[in-house]
Amino acid sequence: MNNYSPDTQRLFFDDLLNCRDLGGMPLKDGGCFRKRVLLRSGSPSLASSKAHDMLVDAGVTCVIDLRSKSEFVNYGNPFADDGVTDFHNIPLFVGDPDAENDPTMDFLRTHHLGDFYVIMLNELGPNIIEVLRVIARNTSGMTLFHCAHGKDRTGVIAAILYLLAGASREDIILNYKVSYEYARDFLDPLIAQREDAMKHTLRSDAHNMEIFLDYVDSEYAGDITLFMKKYGMTDSEINELRTLCS
């Protein structure tokens, strides 16, 4: 039994929504996920004006925006074309979550977020692999990856990286479910405005990550590298990424 607490990973919580260092997560081999390599957060476009400079000063050299093209266009990103960071927009959502009749959002009226995470694995595998390759290539500083609230698309990438490094199922679920707690000051007013069938999409209930991990167990025998290889990652690339993390 370890004493892992996601609270120890929080960063810039007054200036950037749900920002955390992935480092410090205990691993099954007795080690821990490397610190100051990977950060996760909500969108910098929702952050204070200081967030960009704070992150650059902290050592962020690469930023991966997981939002859809429409989200990126509509809300922008202070790291895009800043001349300082290596910026990538690699969508893990097809469509526009703000659109009234978006098919994915309509799907979520009758399904769990965890079911959406499974769809991401099945339909956006090449994009996920592109994200992982960008992360592996950045060895000159920290990489920040984010979506809108740092909860769903960001949570899936974090879970994949933790699975690769050898974190426990229990800790991965705990790391996921605190997202709502860390972002609730921002999310609760949005939840109050949502129709009842959609309120769950702004939380991070544990069963969503359980659905995702159950699928990895059933489809890939619990070995996330089988997913990576299915979509083209080589053993060398996987080992490079694992070394970066642990």
Side-chain angles (χ1 to χ4, degrees), residues 46-67:
L46 299 175
S48 77
S49 58
K50 298 185 293 184
H52 174 277
D53 292 346
M54 291 173 66
L55 288 164
V56 171
D57 290 345
V60 169
T61 57
C62 178
V63 173
I64 306 172
D65 186 338
L66 305 174
R67 296 175 302 167

Side-chain angles (χ1 to χ4, degrees), residues 23-197:
M25 168 74 81
L27 304 178
K28 296 174 185 176
D29 64 3
C32 68
F33 201 100
R34 287 180 62 195
K35 296 181 180 180
R36 296 188 57 80
V37 173
L38 291 165
L39 304 184
R40 56 178 292 176
S41 77
S43 172
S45 63
L46 299 175
S48 77
S49 58
K50 298 185 293 184
H52 174 277
D53 292 346
M54 291 173 66
L55 288 164
V56 171
D57 290 345
V60 169
T61 57
C62 178
V63 173
I64 306 172
D65 186 338
L66 305 174
R67 296 175 302 167
S68 66
K69 293 295 183 184
S70 61
E71 290 173 277
F72 172 60
V73 169
N74 290 340
Y75 298 106
N77 193 306
F79 289 95
D81 301 318
D82 68 353
V84 178
T85 52
D86 179 25
F87 177 81
H88 302 262
N89 178 213
I90 307 173
L92 294 187
F93 190 102
V94 177
D96 182 356
D98 294 326
E100 183 176 347
N101 297 317
D102 181 87
T104 300
M105 300 308 291
D106 191 52
F107 172 84
L108 287 171
R109 286 185 169 85
T110 54
H111 292 77
H112 296 295
L113 279 167
D115 299 316
F116 166 56
Y117 304 162
V118 171
I119 289 175
M120 285 170 55
L121 278 187
N122 289 331
E123 298 187 6
L124 295 172
N127 290 32
I128 291 173
I129 296 306
E130 185 180 356
V131 170
L132 299 179
R133 283 176 167 152
V134 170
I135 288 172
R137 287 197 301 265
N138 184 37
T139 58
S140 64
M142 291 190 290
T143 298
L144 168 73
F145 60 94
H146 72 86
C147 52
H149 306 137
K151 180 172 68 69
D152 302 307
R153 293 161 284 189
T154 297
V156 166
I157 295 298
I160 289 171
L161 292 166
Y162 282 143
L163 285 171
L164 177 65
S168 72
R169 176 187 177 97
E170 176 187 22
D171 287 342
I172 292 172
I173 293 171
L174 176 58
N175 181 271
Y176 165 79
K177 72 178 185 179
V178 297
S179 279
Y180 166 64
E181 294 300 324
Y182 293 163
R184 68 179 305 164
D185 287 348
F186 179 84
L187 294 174
D188 279 350
L190 300 180
I191 290 173
Q193 298 170 18
R194 288 284 175 100
E195 61 180 277
D196 287 348

Side-chain angles (χ1 to χ4, degrees), residues 209-246:
M209 185 53 61
E210 291 168 355
I211 290 170
F212 176 79
L213 295 175
D214 285 346
Y215 183 80
V216 173
D217 286 345
S218 64
E219 187 70 14
Y220 298 104
D223 185 353
I224 198 62
T225 68
L226 297 180
F227 162 78
M228 296 176 182
K229 291 176 182 179
K230 177 179 178 179
Y231 288 98
M233 283 194 89
T234 65
D235 286 331
S236 176
E237 288 177 313
I238 291 170
N239 290 334
E240 182 181 16
L241 182 59
R242 184 185 284 116
T243 299
L244 182 71
C245 296
S246 58

